[in-house]
Amino acid sequence: MKPAKTLLLALPLLAAGCSPDNGTAKIRPLEAGTVTVEDTFWSPRFEKWEHVTVGDMLDKFEGNDPAHFACGVDAFENFDLVASGARDIGRHAGPPWYDGLVYETIRGIADLLAQRPDSALKARVDGYIARIEAAQQSDSDGFLGTHTQLTEDGHRWGANGGLLRMQHDVYNAGMLVEAGVHYYKATGDARLLRIATRFADYMVRIMGPSPKKNIVPAHSGPEEALIKLYRLYRDEPQLREQTGAQSAAGDYLALAEFWIGNRGVHCGQPLWGTWGNDSAERWIHKNLYTAQFGPDARPTWGDYAQDSIRVFEQPAIVGHAVRATLLATGIAAAACENGDKRYIATAKRWWDDMVGRKLFLTGGVGAVHFDEKFGHDYFLPTDAYLETCAAVGVGFFSQSMNSLTGDAKYMDEFERALYNNVLAGVSASGDRYTYQNPLNTDRSERWEWHPCPCCPPMFLKIVSATPGFIYAEDGKSLYVNLFIGSRTDIALGGTRINVRQQTGYPADGQVDLTLTPDKASRFAVRIRIPGWARGEENPFGLYVSESNGKPQLSVNGTPVEIRLERGYAVIERRWQPGDRISLQLPVAPRVIRAHEQARELDGKVALAAGPFVYCIEQADNADYDRLELDTAGGMRLEYRSDLMGGTPVITGTAVTEEGVQTRFTAIPYHAFGNRGNGGYRVWLPALR
């Protein structure tokens, strides 16, 4: 395995941020493998995810777990069948997007390996890669889509009466590309990258402006993946010989731009909203590929897949919440590279619409069960759908916007999604998962596995990438975006700086940073001051609260005034080795209310402390569903070492429906459902 530490100084410029020579460049996050996490909250979780969650997921993808929903369903058998030459056999294990879920899992594992090398885990993944490679080698073009090949090989890319919206051929290919890039960066092993590059070269040859085919992903995600491939070959051109790349680096970026720019360019039918999904699908299968439209006609995927009109003309974020947020992430990533004002304006407009009108308090999106989609403005029901994958999309979109703009408000919302809806996606035991994450329910749902197990791989992708998002740089400044105990080395100009962060966050607000430049140097340190700590619960007033204190900042024990720029406290000075910055954030209980147009939340309040949103769970509160909170009665934040391995809780006063005063205990939202499947409440009526 290639030692991660040998890449320490080079890797920050290869991270998934804006190009350093582009006029739109603001912030470049680090590579996950260059940051060592040493944190009381996060380190035990990474240990659990690596040694329990990853193995559990791989066992279930192999069909080896007796608790599996359909024991014997083996995602890797699909690759073996394709490798043997099987085609159109009418049999495939799992849904059409199973290949993509395997690749996403490998991508997540790659970032874990970058931080915590594990030879046994790498050997297991290498075995899967060999089976994937054998499957690809059975096709002369390098096409690899096991569902399509095994059940409808004549419908590749949805052609000839196929249905790309269901087949997921482009999505699967994109996730392979992403996995290849991440696995190479983490391990130095280019085998999966070679497979991915061959597939990407095939797509470059056949997709694009006429006379190429008008094929765009019906499920987004591949857009950002191709941009990552572009960045890798741009920054390491010598890799082309090792992988056999046939395309120029810029060709991969151009394909991603085509996928973004050609949405809305189609034959105009079917009319999904009018006809209904079943009728629309039948029309595509039977009527599209006729003389009326021609053999190269492309159907519209509708608002569901952000394809009714050109994305640059779409006034708001719409449709399937996972597709929309991943497309938006790709648009923001492309904007970092091309500086195109249309991309920048679209990304900002969609994010503002999402966060200002459609974002749930826990960072989730996708209010509506049908089509797993966004609802109308200010539609924030307590029983909303809120798929785990969609919260992951919110996180990636927000982080990408932070890279594009240099504004801390985007990392505020990354943090909201991460500490609440995302962390809720996996149980404390590491082997139970959520798909839907309502804010109020009478029965919490955690499953062992699922017919559509898309959320565990997405969860793994974002948490394993998070160490790289703690810090960032722009060549002149060090950015501290997340408060996670960690250490790293970073280069600013000609200075190498060792950074160490120590903190008890999120349970308390004390953050200490020790900077050790290799020589005394002048540069700026920009530390995100969360909106909730400044009395700004949401940048658009969707949620409001009052902070119980003010942030305090000092350097070497001397208080300094907090000078904010785009949500960052800026300290610019000549730094000496061993200089220490201390930040105290006001982590205390606060009461949150929603915008007056959020009718479903009228008269209700929620509780938070630091980045955590809290819920009142049945396990602690027998009357959880009959309580009114006494917001004037005083609340207390305390740490319970005896509860689920250590958990901060809020205690306070409430009144039952019968008028009886009682005490309540609230736990962080992400911890629900770990003590049985009882109910919980985030939003409760306030005592008037």
Side-chain angles (χ1 to χ4, degrees):
M1 182 183 297
K2 188 175 182 179
K5 294 300 180 185
T6 64
L7 301 177
L8 197 55
L9 291 179
L11 276 172
L13 293 182
L14 301 180
C18 292
S19 168
D21 58 358
N22 187 289
T24 63
K26 299 296 181 185
I27 291 180
R28 292 181 294 276
L30 307 188
E31 292 290 346
T34 67
V35 180
T36 300
V37 172
E38 301 169 330
D39 186 83
T40 56
F41 180 84
W42 285 97
S43 293
R45 285 169 169 78
F46 278 117
E47 184 78 14
K48 179 80 70 175
W49 297 331
E50 180 179 355
H51 292 108
V52 176
T53 306
V54 166
D56 182 68
M57 290 169 58
L58 293 177
D59 285 346
K60 288 170 179 174
F61 276 126
E62 289 183 2
N64 292 333
D65 192 304
H68 192 237
F69 77 96
C71 190
V73 174
D74 185 350
F76 298 100
E77 181 188 15
N78 297 324
F79 294 105
D80 297 340
L81 287 169
V82 170
S84 73
R87 297 293 188 273
D88 286 325
I89 63 175
R91 177 166 64 90
H92 178 269
W97 47 90
Y98 234 34
D99 293 6
L101 303 188
V102 168
Y103 304 144
E104 287 188 306
T105 302
I106 293 175
R107 176 239 156 121
I109 291 172
D111 285 351
L112 287 178
L113 289 174
Q115 301 156 58
R116 309 160 63 93
D118 183 325
S119 57
L121 179 56
K122 183 180 184 298
R124 185 174 184 178
V125 174
D126 287 345
Y128 299 143
I129 292 172
R131 296 164 77 176
I132 293 167
E133 182 177 42
Q136 188 190 50
Q137 288 176 343
S138 72
D139 186 271
S140 60
D141 292 318
F143 178 86
L144 181 56
T146 65
H147 181 272
T148 294
Q149 289 168 302
L150 294 176
T151 66
E152 48 182 325
D153 196 41
H155 293 161
R156 294 186 181 191
W157 314 117
N160 305 317
L163 182 65
L164 186 61
R165 172 170 151 159
M166 177 58 66
Q167 292 172 236
H168 285 66
D169 288 340
V170 189
Y171 160 79
N172 289 332
M175 296 307 95
L176 173 58
V177 169
E178 184 179 63
V181 171
H182 281 253
Y183 201 69
Y184 167 74
K185 285 186 175 183
T187 68
D189 187 334
R191 188 175 186 180
L192 188 61
L193 178 63
R194 183 169 62 247
I195 300 166
T197 299
R198 185 184 179 206
F199 206 169
D201 287 341
Y202 176 41
M203 291 191 291
V204 165
R205 290 197 302 272
I206 67 169
M207 300 178 191
S210 181
K212 295 182 180 181
K213 296 183 180 298
N214 179 14
I215 299 171
V216 304
H219 191 303
S220 285
E223 298 87 353
E224 187 191 19
L226 267 289
I227 293 167
K228 289 179 178 179
L229 190 65
Y230 155 72
R231 288 171 175 155
L232 180 60
Y233 281 117
R234 177 198 64 196
D235 296 337
E236 298 190 41
Q238 73 280 2
L239 268 177
R240 290 172 52 83
E241 183 175 353
Q242 187 175 354
T243 63
Q246 300 298 306
S247 306
D251 292 336
Y252 304 126
L253 175 61
L255 179 56
E257 291 172 328
F258 173 78
W259 284 338
I260 293 168
N262 239 47
R263 287 181 178 274
V265 180
H266 43 63
C267 73
Q269 294 188 48
L271 305 178
W272 293 89
T274 301
W275 298 1
N277 287 356
D278 290 344
S279 295
E281 291 180 8
R282 283 195 297 271
W283 182 88
I284 291 173
H285 287 306
K286 296 180 179 180
N287 300 325
L288 177 60
Y289 304 98
T290 64
Q292 178 183 357
F293 296 103
D296 296 323
R298 178 173 81 78
T300 173
W301 306 119
D303 285 348
Y304 172 79
Q306 303 75 49
D307 191 40
S308 291
I309 59 176
R310 297 269 187 138
V311 294
F312 306 126
E313 299 169 4
Q314 289 185 17
I317 194 164
V318 298
H320 187 276
V322 181
R323 285 166 165 81
T325 50
L326 294 183
L327 174 59
T329 302
I331 293 171
C336 279
E337 302 303 332
N338 61 29
D340 191 312
K341 293 180 179 179
R342 299 172 302 163
Y343 287 71
I344 297 170
T346 299
K348 288 182 175 180
R349 183 173 66 249
W350 286 14
W351 192 89
D352 289 355
D353 178 64
M354 178 182 74
V355 174
R357 300 179 181 89
K358 297 168 181 172
L359 184 74
F360 285 73
L361 184 61
T362 52
V365 291
V368 181
H369 184 283
F370 176 73
D371 276 352
E372 301 176 322
K373 65 185 178 183
F374 286 97
H376 56 73
D377 290 355
Y378 302 104
F379 180 59
L380 303 169
T382 59
D383 62 348
Y385 192 70
L386 305 183
E387 183 181 347
T388 299
C389 289
V392 173
V394 169
F396 281 132
F397 181 20
S398 296
Q399 187 281 320
S400 195
M401 290 299 295
N402 177 253
S403 291
L404 176 64
T405 67
D407 197 317
K409 69 181 181 183
Y410 298 108
M411 291 307 292
D412 285 352
E413 300 309 325
F414 174 91
E415 182 181 70
R416 179 193 302 278
L418 178 67
Y419 278 97
N420 296 289
N421 200 325
V422 170
L423 280 182
V426 173
S427 65
S429 63
D431 58 0
R432 299 292 185 273
Y433 311 94
T434 68
Y435 197 108
Q436 302 175 48
N437 299 274
L439 276 71
N440 288 13
T441 184
D442 290 326
R443 181 179 174 83
S444 57
E445 298 284 348
R446 291 191 178 275
W447 36 266
E448 296 176 349
W449 206 232
H450 195 280
C452 176
C454 54
C455 296
M458 285 283 280
F459 170 89
L460 194 63
K461 282 169 59 171
I462 196 166
V463 296
S464 64
T466 291
F469 301 150
I470 299 172
Y471 307 104
E473 53 87 18
D474 62 5
K476 300 174 293 183
S477 299
L478 165 67
Y479 291 77
V480 181
N481 271 328
L482 297 172
F483 307 117
I484 297 175
S486 54
R487 53 185 168 85
T488 190
D489 287 293
I490 189 168
L492 288 182
T495 302
R496 175 182 172 129
I497 306 156
N498 177 263
V499 183
R500 186 182 183 193
Q501 181 178 172
Q502 296 169 289
T503 181
Y505 195 86
D508 71 58
Q510 183 66 39
V511 180
D512 295 309
L513 291 160
T514 303
L515 306 181
T516 307
D518 58 7
K519 59 180 181 294
S521 301
R522 187 174 186 85
F523 56 89
V525 178
R526 298 173 183 267
I527 304 172
R528 181 178 64 91
I529 306 298
W532 60 260
R534 297 183 280 109
E536 188 177 283
E537 194 70 45
N538 175 276
F540 305 97
L542 184 61
Y543 302 105
V544 295
S545 68
E546 292 185 6
S547 177
N548 293 320
K550 293 184 178 180
Q552 297 178 353
L553 193 62
S554 65
V555 176
N556 296 328
T558 302
V560 298
E561 180 183 359
I562 293 180
R563 179 170 63 89
L564 284 177
E565 292 182 7
R566 294 186 176 183
Y568 291 99
V570 182
I571 309 172
E572 186 170 4
R573 54 172 285 170
R574 186 173 179 83
W575 297 94
Q576 303 287 340
D579 278 347
R580 186 180 180 93
I581 303 170
S582 293
L583 171 67
Q584 181 64 50
L585 296 170
V587 174
R590 63 187 188 276
V591 176
I592 299 174
R593 291 177 170 82
H595 194 284
E596 62 181 7
Q597 292 193 49
R599 302 300 185 193
E600 291 81 10
L601 303 180
D602 185 40
K604 292 183 173 64
V605 297
L607 303 178
F612 284 148
V613 173
Y614 281 71
C615 69
I616 292 178
E617 191 175 31
Q618 187 175 5
D620 303 303
N621 307 273
D623 296 322
Y624 78 100
D625 57 342
R626 300 189 299 114
L627 296 181
E628 291 184 332
L629 293 189
D630 181 0
T631 58
M635 291 178 290
R636 181 180 175 184
L637 181 67
E638 59 186 62
Y639 189 79
R640 289 271 304 277
S641 59
D642 63 322
L643 186 62
M644 290 183 284
T647 303
V649 302
I650 295 175
T651 58
T653 304
V655 175
T656 68
E657 291 176 347
E658 295 79 16
V660 178
Q661 189 177 70
T662 186
R663 299 289 292 174
F664 71 81
T665 298
I667 63 171
Y669 171 81
H670 76 262
F672 74 75
N674 284 291
R675 296 171 292 167
N677 55 5
Y680 60 82
R681 296 285 188 271
V682 168
W683 290 101
L684 292 101
L687 185 64
R688 298 179 185 274

